Amino acid sequence: MNVFCELVHSIYDCKSYETFFKDRKRKTFLFGFLLVVIYFLLTMIVPFVRFQMSTGGIVKIVDEVVPDFAIADGRLDVEEQFEFAEGDTYFFVDTKDEAMTEEMILENLRRYGTVLIADSENLIVKSNGQVQTLQIADLDIEITKSEIITMFRPFVNLAIGIILVIVFLFMQATFFFGVIFVALFGMIVASCMQTKLTFGELYKLGIYTRTTPLLIKALLSFLPFGLPFFWIISLGISLGYLAGAMRSMNTQDLGGQPVVFHSEESALEDRWKRPEEDYNHWNDTGDKQN
C-alpha cells in the first residue's frame, strides 16, 4: 500500500493499522511528512493565494495606500495630503497646503509614540522617545515612490518565501513532537486493553492517527470562528483511532488473545531460554521413568 492510499485508509479503516504497523520507519516518516504538507497547503498556501488574487499582493497594497511622491532638488513633493493614525503611530505629510502649526505638531508628539510629520522642506520624526528635525535638502537624495517599490519588491517576495519555509519547518517539528503525547497517553490505552506495545510502536501508530484531527483542524481554519480546546478533541480522536487499531489487532489474533509485540532483545532472550526449558523437561521425564 502506497503512502497516498495509507492516508485514505487511516481515516476510515482501523484494520489497516496492522498493515501500517509493519511499515518501515522511513515510510512512516514519509507519511507524517506528507500529512503535514497537505495541512500546510490547506492552512497557509491556499489562504495566501486567495489573498494574492483578491488584493494583488502586499506590494500592490502599499502602492495603493502610499500616495505618489518624489524627492528632487532638496524638496519633497506629494500629490495629495496623507494622514495615518492607528494605535501609537501617526503619519502626516502635506507639501501643497500650509504646513501644520507648531501647536498641532507638539500635540501629536505628546499623543503618539511614533510620529512622522513632513512638509516640502522639513521632516519631524519621533521614535523611542527622541524627536529629530531634519531638512529634506540635507538628505541629499533624489527618488520617487515607483523607484522605491521596484527596489524593495524582490526583498518582499524573498521575505515571504523565507517566512513560509520557516512556518513549514515549524509545523513539521510541532507535528512529530506532538505525536509524543499521543504515544504517552496511548500507553494508558494499551494498558487498559491489555495490549503490550512499546513506546516506539505506539509512536509509530500515533503518526497515522493524526490524519483525521489535522484535516478537521485545516477545515476549521476556513470558518470565521474557532473551536475552543480543540487540542483536547484532537488528542481524543487520535486515541480513539489507536484504541480501534488495538482492538482490530486483538480480534485478528488466534484464540482472541491480546497481541503481544516483543522487541528484538526479548526475542533473542527467549530463544536462548528454550533449550534450558527443554533440557529440564526431559530430565523430569527421565526421573519419573526411573
Side-chain angles (χ1 to χ4, degrees):
M1 187 183 299
N2 60 46
V3 178
F4 294 98
C5 289
E6 288 184 343
L7 281 170
V8 177
H9 281 267
S10 65
I11 297 175
Y12 73 91
D13 188 10
C14 288
K15 295 181 180 180
S16 297
Y17 280 75
E18 185 178 9
T19 304
F20 303 158
F21 186 82
K22 301 175 183 178
D23 287 344
R24 295 182 178 181
K25 294 180 180 179
R26 180 173 58 184
K27 188 176 181 181
T28 302
F29 173 80
L30 179 61
F31 179 94
F33 181 86
L34 181 61
L35 182 59
V36 177
V37 169
I38 296 174
Y39 178 76
F40 176 76
L41 291 175
L42 292 175
T43 59
M44 294 298 299
I45 300 301
V46 171
F48 178 73
V49 171
R50 291 174 57 188
F51 171 80
Q52 290 288 106
M53 294 179 63
S54 61
T55 63
I58 297 175
V59 175
K60 185 175 181 181
I61 293 176
V62 173
D63 188 27
E64 294 176 351
V65 172
V66 178
D68 291 330
F69 68 88
I71 299 178
D73 299 327
R75 294 179 60 87
L76 173 64
D77 182 31
V78 181
E79 291 295 329
E80 57 185 14
Q81 184 184 97
F82 174 75
E83 186 173 17
F84 174 83
E86 183 172 346
D88 199 34
T89 303
Y90 179 77
F91 293 162
F92 179 84
V93 180
D94 189 353
T95 61
K96 301 297 183 182
D97 300 330
E98 296 182 0
M100 184 181 294
T101 62
E102 184 175 354
E103 290 78 8
M104 294 179 63
I105 293 175
L106 294 176
E107 176 64 23
N108 289 316
L109 290 175
R110 284 193 298 265
R111 181 181 302 177
Y112 300 98
T114 301
V115 178
L116 187 147
I117 300 174
D119 58 20
S120 60
E121 297 180 351
N122 302 298
L123 181 67
I124 301 175
V125 179
K126 179 184 178 182
S127 179
N128 297 325
Q130 297 182 348
V131 180
Q132 292 181 321
T133 301
L134 305 173
Q135 291 186 344
I136 304 297
D138 294 337
L139 300 177
D140 193 24
I141 58 174
E142 293 189 0
I143 197 168
T144 63
K145 186 186 81 170
S146 60
E147 291 175 347
I148 291 180
I149 291 178
T150 302
M151 183 188 307
F152 283 97
R153 186 187 300 271
F155 295 99
V156 172
N157 296 332
L158 179 62
I160 293 174
I162 293 174
I163 291 173
L164 289 176
V165 170
I166 293 175
V167 171
F168 175 74
L169 294 177
F170 178 77
M171 283 184 176
Q172 288 285 353
T174 304
F175 171 80
F176 286 102
F177 178 78
V179 179
I180 293 177
F181 295 96
V182 177
L184 289 174
F185 284 94
M187 295 178 70
I188 302 175
V189 177
S191 177
C192 294
M193 299 185 66
Q194 297 182 351
T195 303
K196 295 182 180 180
L197 293 171
T198 66
F199 177 81
E201 292 165 343
L202 289 168
Y203 184 91
K204 184 178 183 179
L205 290 176
I207 291 177
Y208 296 96
T209 66
R210 298 302 296 158
T211 305
T212 299
L214 278 187
L215 292 179
I216 294 176
K217 187 177 180 181
L219 294 177
L220 289 175
S221 65
F222 291 94
L223 299 178
F225 57 88
L227 192 61
F229 301 105
F230 178 77
W231 65 272
I232 299 178
I233 300 175
S234 175
L235 179 60
I237 294 174
S238 292
L239 294 179
Y241 274 98
L242 203 57
M246 294 178 190
R247 186 180 300 108
S248 176
M249 291 177 179
N250 291 347
T251 302
Q252 295 181 19
D253 186 41
L254 293 177
Q257 297 299 321
V259 177
V260 180
F261 297 92
H262 296 286
S263 63
E264 294 180 359
E265 295 181 358
S266 62
L268 183 61
E269 184 179 346
D270 291 340
R271 186 177 66 183
W272 285 106
K273 284 182 178 180
R274 289 187 188 116
E276 182 179 352
E277 294 172 355
D278 294 340
Y279 176 77
N280 293 333
H281 173 73
W282 286 110
N283 283 343
D284 294 339
T285 305
D287 293 340
K288 291 180 180 179
Q289 291 177 352
N290 292 332

